[in-house]
């Protein structure tokens, strides 16, 4: 599904009007569709409170009030900014009929909210900027504390549509009902965390008009996986599915090497050559018999020694992709190894964890890479790469991701809730699979191994990143269903992969 900016949505509405629709008709369709979603999704619907602003979002709320009243619901409308100020919203206000209308200052508003089965937020739409005025904060906080099911119209009030930023109070919805397509705030933190489940409904804008608008972001779907993953031919052999060189692990971090390697193997790579320090070779080989091992010399810190550089660069000639960094450790030796592989590799290079840390002091080297580079930082690693804080990264995920991928000509996978994949050509994709149960050490190693495996099999690097992220999150969702958010482990993700491939017929 496309993600369109607020400006693009306004342009689409105008284009629909130019083709014969009316703004009043679009408002009626939007409110009617939203009311239908509420009727279908509400656990209980005898009493509803609808918070309305003075603009067209409030107009949608007035339509919802009318439709719910027609359904037999006891409806109260609370005006936060007085009576509507747009012509269409004013018209819908007069059509509500016998609906109780109050202003937010009236003391009974708080009790109405607490007694409601459903609260509908129709205060501000996608064009909201800044922060909610302080006089409304207590009512919003009361809504967020109440036991009612909360539905937001288009976007939770307090969230900024194009950036996902929240400055001050914000409605925390159980369900957000948006129109025509997604907007950036539905998929960008922190706003996406306030949206709950986002439901997209159509309101009279033709598919042809929607297709004519270029997406500011894409949402990864299962069609990406079906298109990109190869169907195995009957006469294929291990060489058909590539050879991955994985340079991972160090003393004390054998698990990172095993997790990334196990994920790569489960994702179908034909041959895995796993380079590890000699000290952890017996541990890793005792768990994973499938790789061809390259036990290499290590330094006194238990990481690979810089003396391995020539050997590793020679191994590049046998590989179709290279993964470096998972549990590798970061010191002058590993920094030299990462730089050497980056300079010499003519195959896709996937850089994760300590591989990223090794590049922080000299990230400009990435620009001279001979082959596609996929970098997979979490917010802290991203902050080190660009010289800011993790909080700043989280507050500007889309902007920083797009800029970094363009400037350094890499495929950037910025991990976290709603992982972003930014491409050098300015395109950005967001992933909606995954859950908080994956927030534990080792999940990133699994993801790196998956992406590297797909790249080694000859899947285009951007598709390798998209498929890896989507399937990684989907495996996490399946694990959460079976193991719980609290009890699931990164190893469970790997064990779930074979069943996922069955779902996709691979």
């Amino acid at each position: 599904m496309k993600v369109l900016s607020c400006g693009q949505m306004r342009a689409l509405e105008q284009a629909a009007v130019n083709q014969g629709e009316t703004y009043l008709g679009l408002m009626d369709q939007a409110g009617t569709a939203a009311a239908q979603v509420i009727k279908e999704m509400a656990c209980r619907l005898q009493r509803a409170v609808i918070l309305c602003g003075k603009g067209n979002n409030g107009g949608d709320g007035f339509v919802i009030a009318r439709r719910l009243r027609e359904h037999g619901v006891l409806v109260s409308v609370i005006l936060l900014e007085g009576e509507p100020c747009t012509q269409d919203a004013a018209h819908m206000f007069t059509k509500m009929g016998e609906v109780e209308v109050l202003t937010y200052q009236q003391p009974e508003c708080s009790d109405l909210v607490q007694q409601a089965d459903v609260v509908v937020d129709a205060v501000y739409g996608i064009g909201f900027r800044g922060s909610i005025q302080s006089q409304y904060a207590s009512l919003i906080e009361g809504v967020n504390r109440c036991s009612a099911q909360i539905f937001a119209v288009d976007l939770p009030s307090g969230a900024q549509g194009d950036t996902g930023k929240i400055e001050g109070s914000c409605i925390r919805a159980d369900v957000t009902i948006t129109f025509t397509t997604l907007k950036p705030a539905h998929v960008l933190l922190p706003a996406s965390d306030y949206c709950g489940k986002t439901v997209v409904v159509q309101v009279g804008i033709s598919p042809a008009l929607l297709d004519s608008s270029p997406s500011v972001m894409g949402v990864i779907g299962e069609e990406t996986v079906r298109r990109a993953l190869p169907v195995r031919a009957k006469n294929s052999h291990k060489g058909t599915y590539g050879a991955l060189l994985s340079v991972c692990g160090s003393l004390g971090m054998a698990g990172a090497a095993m997790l990334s390697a196990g994920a790569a193997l489960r994702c179908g790579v034909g041959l895995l050559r796993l380079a590890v320090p000699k000290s952890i070779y017996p541990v890793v080989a005792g768990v994973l018999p499938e790789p061809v091992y390259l036990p290499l010399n290590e330094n006194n810190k238990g990481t690979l020694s810089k003396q391995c550089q020539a050997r590793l660069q020679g191994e590049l000639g046998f590989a179709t992709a290279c993964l470096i960094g998972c549990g590798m450790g970061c010191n002058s030796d590993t920094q030299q190894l990462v730089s050497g592989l980056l300079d010499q590799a003519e195959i896709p290079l996937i850089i994760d964890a300590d591989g990223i840390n090794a590049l922080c002091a000299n990230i400009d080297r990435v620009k001279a890479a001979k082959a596609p580079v996929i970098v997979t930082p979490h917010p802290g690693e991203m902050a080190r790469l660009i010289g800011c804080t993790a909080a700043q990264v989280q507050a500007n995920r889309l902007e920083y991701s797009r800029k970094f991928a363009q400037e350094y000509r890499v495929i950037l996978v910025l991990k976290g809730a709603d992982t972003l994949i930014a491409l050098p050509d300015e395109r950005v994709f967001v992933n909606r699979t995954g859950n908080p149960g994956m927030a534990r050490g080792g999940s990133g190693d699994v993801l790196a191994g998956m992406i590297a495996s797909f790249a080694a099999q000859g899947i285009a690097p951007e598709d390798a990143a998209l498929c890896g992220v989507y399937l990684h999150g989907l495996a996490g969702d399946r694990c959460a269903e079976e193991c719980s958010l609290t009890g699931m482990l990164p190893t469970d993700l790997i064990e779930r992969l074979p069943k996922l491939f069955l779902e996709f017929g691979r």
Side-chain angles (χ1 to χ4, degrees):
M1 180 178 293
K2 282 186 172 183
V3 179
L4 299 185
S5 71
C6 302
Q8 286 177 305
M9 277 307 308
R10 284 189 285 270
L12 274 183
E13 291 170 356
Q14 181 61 60
V17 169
N18 293 343
Q19 291 184 356
E21 289 283 352
T22 65
Y23 282 113
L24 192 65
L26 291 173
M27 181 179 289
D28 190 66
Q29 291 183 74
T32 300
Q36 184 62 35
V37 172
I38 293 168
K39 287 186 285 185
E40 291 173 356
M41 297 189 68
C43 299
R44 178 181 169 87
L45 188 55
Q46 293 184 352
R47 292 174 174 266
V49 171
I50 305 178
L51 311 180
C52 293
K54 63 182 181 180
N56 286 339
N57 197 248
D60 296 337
F62 301 143
V63 177
I64 294 169
R66 170 162 51 94
R67 296 306 187 193
L68 292 184
R69 179 184 59 80
E70 292 170 351
H71 188 63
V73 180
L74 183 62
V75 179
S76 300
V77 167
I78 299 176
L79 302 177
L80 265 71
E81 300 177 308
E83 292 192 4
C85 66
T86 70
Q87 183 176 351
D88 292 338
H91 178 79
M92 294 304 183
F93 183 70
T94 63
K95 291 186 65 177
M96 283 194 301
E98 296 180 3
V99 170
E100 181 182 27
V101 179
L102 306 93
T103 60
Y104 79 95
Q105 301 101 325
Q106 292 178 245
E108 56 264 46
C109 289
S110 178
D111 289 339
L112 283 172
V113 168
Q114 296 305 316
Q115 295 165 7
D117 302 315
V118 163
V119 174
V120 180
D121 165 27
V123 182
Y124 301 114
I126 58 175
F128 177 78
R129 300 287 186 275
S131 60
I132 288 179
Q133 296 181 36
S134 58
Q135 64 262 39
Y136 309 137
S138 61
L139 180 60
I140 288 175
E141 290 166 7
V143 170
N144 288 342
R145 289 195 303 267
C146 78
S147 59
Q149 212 171 343
I150 302 172
F151 292 82
V153 178
D154 226 357
L155 201 63
S157 292
Q160 300 182 29
D162 280 339
T163 65
K165 292 182 179 180
I166 294 174
E167 300 173 3
S169 299
C170 185
I171 292 287
R172 187 175 287 277
D174 297 300
V175 179
T176 295
I177 307 164
T178 193
F179 309 116
T180 307
T181 192
L182 295 169
K183 289 80 182 179
H186 297 129
V187 296
L188 292 177
L189 290 169
S192 62
D193 196 37
Y194 284 72
C195 290
K197 178 179 176 62
T198 301
V199 177
V200 180
V201 295
Q202 301 306 313
V203 295
I205 294 176
S206 71
L209 278 179
L210 182 58
D211 290 342
S212 70
S213 294
S215 180
V216 295
M217 299 171 67
V219 178
I220 311 171
E222 66 174 44
E223 69 280 357
T224 300
V225 177
R226 295 189 186 280
R227 171 181 55 80
L229 290 190
V231 176
R232 298 204 160 205
K234 186 174 182 179
N235 63 345
S236 59
H237 53 84
K238 65 183 178 183
T240 307
Y241 303 105
L244 174 63
L245 172 62
S246 181
V247 186
C248 296
S250 61
L251 187 62
M253 295 293 289
M258 288 189 282
L259 287 168
S260 60
L265 290 164
R266 283 296 190 188
C267 285
V269 69
L271 182 65
L272 173 61
R273 301 173 75 86
L274 183 53
V276 295
K278 288 180 178 177
S279 62
I280 69 168
Y281 162 63
V283 177
V284 180
V287 175
L288 293 174
E290 293 90 353
V292 173
Y293 285 94
L294 306 174
L296 300 177
N297 291 331
E298 57 197 89
N299 60 22
N300 58 7
K301 297 181 178 65
T303 71
L304 289 174
S305 166
K306 62 184 178 183
Q307 297 172 359
C308 306
Q309 187 167 17
R311 175 71 185 278
L312 289 175
Q313 291 179 6
E315 291 292 337
L316 290 173
F318 301 100
T320 52
C322 177
L323 168 63
I324 185 166
C326 301
M328 187 182 187
C330 188
N331 52 54
S332 59
D333 281 13
T334 56
Q335 289 172 350
Q336 184 170 323
L337 292 177
V338 172
S339 295
L341 289 173
L342 181 62
D343 292 342
Q344 296 299 316
E346 297 182 359
I347 53 176
L349 188 63
I350 297 84
I351 305 176
D352 183 56
D354 285 327
I356 295 170
N357 293 328
L359 288 175
C360 286
N362 198 7
I363 186 60
D364 284 341
R365 296 182 75 113
V366 174
K367 295 179 181 179
K370 302 174 183 177
V373 175
I374 302 173
V375 186
T376 59
H378 58 55
E381 292 161 347
M382 185 69 182
R384 289 192 285 276
L385 281 173
I386 61 179
C388 67
T389 66
Q392 288 173 313
V393 169
Q394 291 295 76
N396 300 277
R397 284 172 65 88
L398 178 60
E399 176 187 350
Y400 287 170
S401 297
R402 179 177 280 138
K403 182 178 179 181
F404 187 90
Q406 285 182 261
E407 181 176 354
Y408 294 101
R409 297 189 289 277
V410 300
I411 296 168
L412 178 76
V413 177
L414 180 55
K415 295 182 288 194
D418 297 332
T419 291
L420 294 180
I421 300 91
L423 308 182
D425 62 6
E426 299 188 29
R427 287 182 295 158
V428 179
F429 295 84
V430 64
N431 182 56
R432 306 305 302 280
T433 61
N435 58 74
M438 301 169 72
R440 62 192 74 218
S443 291
D445 301 312
V446 173
L447 175 60
M450 293 175 67
I451 294 172
S453 180
F454 293 143
Q457 293 173 63
I459 296 173
E462 66 181 62
D463 285 337
L466 296 173
C467 289
V469 170
Y470 180 84
L471 290 172
H472 181 253
L474 191 58
D477 291 338
R478 297 290 190 270
C479 287
E481 294 169 1
E482 298 171 7
C483 306
S484 79
L485 293 175
T486 301
M488 59 186 286
L489 294 173
T491 47
D492 297 325
L493 302 178
I494 299 173
E495 292 172 4
R496 194 60 182 74
L497 289 173
K499 293 182 181 179
L500 277 189
F501 290 122
L502 280 176
E503 292 180 25
F504 285 90
R506 300 296 192 270

